[in-house]
Amino acid sequence: MSGHSKWANIKHKKARTDAAKGKLYTKLAREIFIAARAGSPDPNNNFRLKIAIDNAKAANLPNENIQRAVQKGSGTGDDTNYEELRYEGYGPGGVAIMATILTDNRNRSASEMRHIFSKNGGNMGDSGCVGWMFAEKGQLSIAKEGLALNEDDLLLFALEAGAEDIETEDEGYEVFTAPENMEQVRQSLIDGGIQIQTANVSLIPENRMEISDLDQAKKIIKLIDTLEEHDDVQNVYTNFDLAEGISGEDL
C-alpha cells in the first residue's frame, strides 16, 4: 500500500468547500456533457457516462441538471461545439501541472491558460512537456467512516478484484486501477458492501515532487486554485506534494 499524500488530503477538504460554493456541480455537469457527447446517451451503453452520473448523484446534483447535461451532450439541447483539451506546464519550483478543459474557443482558452501560468510564477509549455510524468489510472475514492474492513483487508480485497494499488489518506482510501479495469474493480467493491464515493479516470504522477519552502508551496497552490476557478477547467493534476514540515493550517 502506498503512503499518503499531504496535498491530496488538503485537496479533498478543499473539494468539499468547492462543492458548497457550487463549483463542483458545474464540473460534474460538464463531465456528463462530455461523456454523453463522446458516446451513447444511455448510461447502460456508455461507461464513462454511467460513472459521471453516479458521481453527480453522490454529490446530490439535481436530476434535472443531470438530464439537461445529457441532452446537451447528445445534441438535443445545445448546438455549441465544445472541445476537450489539455494544457500543461510548470509551476513555481518546477512542479508539473496539467489542466483538462472543455471549451468552445481554443484560442481564447490557450491565451487565458498561458496568462494564468505566467501571472502565478509558472510557465505553460508545449503539449507533452510534462505529460510523460503522469499515467492514466482509474481512481476510486472510499471513505474510512462506516467501512467494515480494516486497512489490510481492504488492500487484499481490492487487489483480488484487480486493483493495482491503494493509497491511504486521512479520511479514506484511493484505489488505483488500470483504466480498462476500473468498472470491474468498482463493481467488485460494491458487491462486497464497500461504498464508492467517486470513480474517475485520472492522471496520476509517477513520482511526486516534495516542496519544503512554505512561500513556494503557497504560490503553487495559488496557481492551482486559479486554474481550477477558470470556467473552462475541468480538472488540474500536479506532481506537487508538501514536505512533512508543512501542514494545511500553514497554507
Side-chain angles (χ1 to χ4, degrees), residues 60-230:
N60 298 314
L61 182 68
N63 284 333
E64 57 265 30
N65 295 41
I66 293 173
Q67 291 305 315
R68 191 181 308 120
V70 172
Q71 290 172 354
K72 286 182 177 181
S74 61
T76 59
D78 193 340
D79 59 359
T80 306
N81 183 25
Y82 288 103
E83 289 184 275
E84 191 177 9
L85 303 171
R86 289 180 183 175
Y87 290 107
E88 52 193 285
Y90 296 92
V95 301
I97 294 178
M98 295 188 68
T100 59
I101 73 162
L102 179 66
T103 180
D104 60 354
N105 187 328
R106 70 158 58 206
N107 291 330
R108 183 206 68 224
S109 294
S111 175
E112 292 175 354
M113 291 297 106
R114 187 172 290 106
H115 176 72
I116 290 173
F117 269 95
S118 62
K119 186 178 180 181
N120 291 279
N123 179 38
M124 193 173 88
D126 295 330
S127 177
C129 67
V130 301
W132 60 273
M133 301 181 192
F134 296 81
E136 196 170 68
K137 298 288 183 182
Q139 183 174 4
L140 308 168
S141 298
I142 300 169
K144 287 181 179 177
E145 184 177 357
L147 184 64
L149 298 178
N150 63 32
E151 191 171 297
D152 291 338
D153 288 342
L154 176 63
L155 173 62
L156 181 61
F157 190 99
L159 292 176
E160 288 179 344
E164 294 182 348
D165 195 13
I166 295 182
E167 190 170 277
T168 181
E169 308 298 352
D170 286 350
E171 299 178 5
Y173 303 98
E174 301 296 322
V175 177
F176 297 100
T177 76
E180 63 273 15
N181 292 338
M182 185 174 75
E183 174 58 7
Q184 169 193 315
V185 175
R186 173 180 171 275
Q187 193 59 55
S188 294
L189 292 172
I190 292 173
D191 291 344
I194 298 169
Q195 184 175 351
I196 307 297
Q197 289 183 303
T198 59
N200 295 288
V201 175
S202 301
L203 296 172
I204 307 300
E206 299 280 14
N207 295 287
R208 295 191 182 108
M209 183 174 180
E210 196 171 81
I211 299 297
S212 58
D213 182 87
L214 180 58
D215 288 338
Q216 196 168 72
K218 288 180 177 179
K219 290 176 182 177
I220 295 167
I221 292 171
K222 184 182 178 184
L223 170 56
I224 293 170
D225 284 345
T226 305
L227 286 168
E228 288 180 336
E229 287 168 4
H230 191 281

